[in-house]
Amino acid sequence: MSHNVVLIHSAELSDVAQYAYAATAPAEARLIFLAGACPLNLDGSTAAVGDYSAQAGKAMENLVLALKAAGAQLEDVLSTRVLVASSNRSDLVEAWAVVRAAFGTHDVPSALLGVTVLGYPDQLVEIEAVAAVID
């Protein structure tokens, strides 16, 4: 677990969620607000057209790269928002399973939302995040 981010669980809230309900960072931490990580290849094309799991995986790969560029890693993430272009709960769960697995034991507070459309052609998944690091 990160020395910067503290995940907060509560016995007074349902344990059905696969994430902490809150997270804190020390006052001296530098906050990093990441743009939505999209399932884009280096050439700008959308990866894995039609595949929620593969697009979630590519978006996570791109999130890790953006974190690295900012001097952070997954364990420094305070919260995420996972956007899935679908009204079918099974599609949301499919994308969420990939995101959740990528974070491992760092069960960062998250929101999972079904949306009508995302910004790039054939895009099905986007992952927003906020991280905190101490330089």
Side-chain angles (χ1 to χ4, degrees):
M1 177 175 286
S2 170
H3 298 290
N4 303 328
V5 173
V6 176
L7 301 178
I8 300 167
H9 299 84
S10 173
E12 296 178 18
L13 294 168
S14 171
D15 64 356
V16 108
Q18 298 177 349
Y19 47 79
Y21 280 96
T24 63
E28 66 273 19
R30 174 173 54 94
L31 294 179
I32 303 166
F33 297 87
L34 293 112
C38 300
L40 297 179
N41 297 311
L42 191 56
D43 66 3
S45 63
T46 302
V49 172
D51 187 331
Y52 288 93
S53 292
Q55 284 203 8
K58 182 63 174 176
M60 284 303 301
E61 288 175 21
N62 289 339
L63 177 65
V64 167
L65 291 171
L67 285 164
K68 182 179 176 185
Q73 56 189 355
L74 285 178
E75 292 78 14
D76 297 316
V77 172
L78 283 167
S79 67
T80 68
R81 185 178 326 194
V82 180
L83 308 171
V84 181
S86 180
S87 60
N88 294 321
R89 182 172 285 126
S90 62
D91 296 332
L92 276 71
V93 170
E94 184 177 338
W96 170 251
V98 173
V99 173
R100 181 68 190 91
F103 276 97
T105 59
H106 186 65
D107 57 345
V108 61
S110 298
L112 175 64
L113 296 97
V115 298
T116 304
V117 65
L118 292 166
Y120 292 100
D122 301 311
Q123 181 184 359
L124 300 173
V125 178
E126 187 162 336
I127 305 164
E128 299 175 6
V130 176
V133 296
I134 298 175
D135 294 322

